[in-house]
């Protein structure tokens, strides 16, 4: 009986240890931004984006970047005007932070 309880406790601890880091690296909430297409100005969003991984905004193009980011997540968002979170230029948005229409973005990473 004691061996079975010990094995069950060890297996439960291992499952918990493996599950917690995955959920802790996600940014809970919504990251909004604007973009333009043939229909005019549109609103785009990322829902519960992955943390610590660069995300290229799907609607951002080489000639027409997204703009006006609005960080409604519980994580800090670092936005970049280039794809793949590259370049020396970036802007940091705290949770709840937003920027105006002049800030152009193509990628973002959440921490």
């Amino acid at each position: 009986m004691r061996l079975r309880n010990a094995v069950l406790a060890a297996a439960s601890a291992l499952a918990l240890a493996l599950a917690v880091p995955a959920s802790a690296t996600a940014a809970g909430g919504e990251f909004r931004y604007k973009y333009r297409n043939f229909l005019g100005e549109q609103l785009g969003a990322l829902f519960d984006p992955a943390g610590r991984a660069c995300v290229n905004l799907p609607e951002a193009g080489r000639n027409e970047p997204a703009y006006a980011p609005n960080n409604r997540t519980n994580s800090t968002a670092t936005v970049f005007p280039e794809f793949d979170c590259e370049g020396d230029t970036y802007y940091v948005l705290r949770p709840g932070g937003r920027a105006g229409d002049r800030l152009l973005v193509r990628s973002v990473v959440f921490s």
Side-chain angles (χ1 to χ4, degrees):
M1 182 80 164
R2 288 185 185 175
L3 179 60
R4 183 172 36 165
N5 288 344
V7 170
L8 180 60
S12 298
L14 179 62
L16 182 62
L18 294 176
V20 170
S23 61
T25 61
E30 182 180 13
F31 180 80
R32 291 184 177 182
Y33 52 92
K34 296 177 185 178
Y35 66 96
R36 292 193 186 281
N37 64 15
F38 65 94
L39 297 173
E41 185 174 87
Q42 304 292 315
L43 183 63
L46 302 173
F47 298 97
D48 298 327
R52 300 185 189 130
C54 182
V55 178
N56 288 325
L57 301 179
E59 297 85 2
R62 184 174 311 276
N63 296 326
E64 195 68 49
Y67 57 95
N70 184 353
N71 185 16
R72 294 180 169 197
T73 72
N74 59 1
S75 296
T76 299
T78 304
V79 297
F80 295 81
E82 302 300 327
F83 289 113
D84 302 320
C85 300
E86 292 184 355
D88 294 332
T89 304
Y90 58 89
Y91 190 83
V92 177
L93 295 171
R94 293 177 294 162
R98 65 173 60 194
D101 290 355
R102 292 178 31 192
L103 183 62
L104 307 178
V105 297
R106 289 186 176 93
S107 58
V108 60
V109 64
F110 297 90
S111 55

